[in-house]
Amino acid sequence: MTETEISFADKATLVGNLVLLRPVGVADVPGLLELLRDPESARMTGTHMDSEPDARAAEDWYATRAEHDDRLDLAIVERAGGAYVGEVVLNELDPVNRSCGFRICLVGPRAFGRGFGSEATRLALTHAFETVGVNRVELEVYAFNPRARHVYEQAGFVHEGTKRQALRWDGEWVDAHLMALLASDWKTL
């Protein structure tokens, strides 16, 4: 394998103490729809929903995720009961620069504050850095989401800059903070 030949073609299953991360599938669509319908999850991700989520579009989306080698879409499943509690995604893989994006969303209050997001973040980052071999993982987090920013900082992400007034939410402008984690930082955590 040459230095630039990295991909997310291997759709791994990652196991933690609280959660299992597995490739998303059509069976996860009810959980995705719950996530999309939750007002707090939509707010934290800056997702404007003008209408009811389209179940057929969600099925088509989840059915095709395994076909993409530039992203890894994983369902976050609570190990104790097997319930879908969210998704974590490594996306926008740039193999030449060995970088990718990161995003995570939980289904709402039933999943918040239980450690699922923190563990899913650590599992996904371990996979990105130690298995795939990326050098940089980056994300954006909105200023009104300090809970997520805290999780990212605990995982080692560093604030690199602010996109001022990047989101319009309920008539107010909200900044987006760019954060990143490098492989060299990851190794020292």
Side-chain angles (χ1 to χ4, degrees):
M1 177 181 278
T2 67
E3 185 172 285
T4 60
E5 289 181 11
I6 64 171
S7 80
F8 291 125
D10 176 25
K11 304 304 182 187
T13 295
L14 311 172
V15 181
N17 294 320
L18 300 173
V19 298
L20 174 119
L21 306 182
R22 59 165 171 68
V24 297
V26 174
D28 298 311
V29 168
L32 175 61
L33 294 174
E34 178 187 0
L35 186 151
L36 293 172
R37 289 179 181 125
D38 179 64
E40 185 69 3
S41 296
R43 181 174 172 268
M44 292 299 115
T45 59
T47 304
H48 293 284
M49 295 296 293
D50 297 331
S51 62
E52 178 70 14
D54 182 341
R56 183 67 189 148
E59 287 174 8
D60 291 346
W61 177 257
Y62 267 8
T64 60
R65 298 306 84 205
E67 300 168 13
H68 300 271
D69 64 0
D70 64 340
R71 60 184 297 133
L72 179 61
D73 297 75
L74 299 171
I76 305 170
V77 178
E78 182 181 5
R79 286 198 57 199
Y84 174 103
V85 294
E87 69 174 14
V88 62
V89 180
L90 295 165
N91 60 5
E92 300 176 0
L93 179 66
D94 178 345
V96 174
N97 292 307
R98 302 181 83 78
S99 65
C100 70
F102 174 87
R103 69 177 173 79
I104 185 170
C105 190
L106 299 177
V107 295
R110 74 175 171 86
F112 294 159
R114 299 181 59 196
F116 300 149
S118 295
E119 186 173 76
T121 297
R122 284 191 304 277
L123 289 168
L125 292 173
T126 298
H127 181 72
F129 289 119
E130 298 177 15
T131 302
V132 177
V134 301
N135 181 61
R136 175 185 171 86
V137 178
E138 66 181 37
L139 61 84
E140 286 185 7
V141 60
Y142 293 110
F144 56 39
N145 194 351
R147 181 177 59 232
R149 184 167 175 166
H150 175 75
V151 168
Y152 302 144
E153 288 170 343
Q154 291 294 317
F157 281 90
V158 174
H159 179 258
E160 292 188 331
T162 300
K163 292 170 51 177
R164 298 178 305 146
Q165 298 182 0
L167 174 71
R168 184 96 169 141
W169 196 266
D170 287 340
E172 301 290 328
W173 289 109
V174 181
D175 293 345
H177 301 293
L178 178 64
M179 301 181 80
L181 179 59
L182 303 179
S184 56
D185 298 329
W186 178 254
K187 289 176 185 173
T188 63
L189 295 175

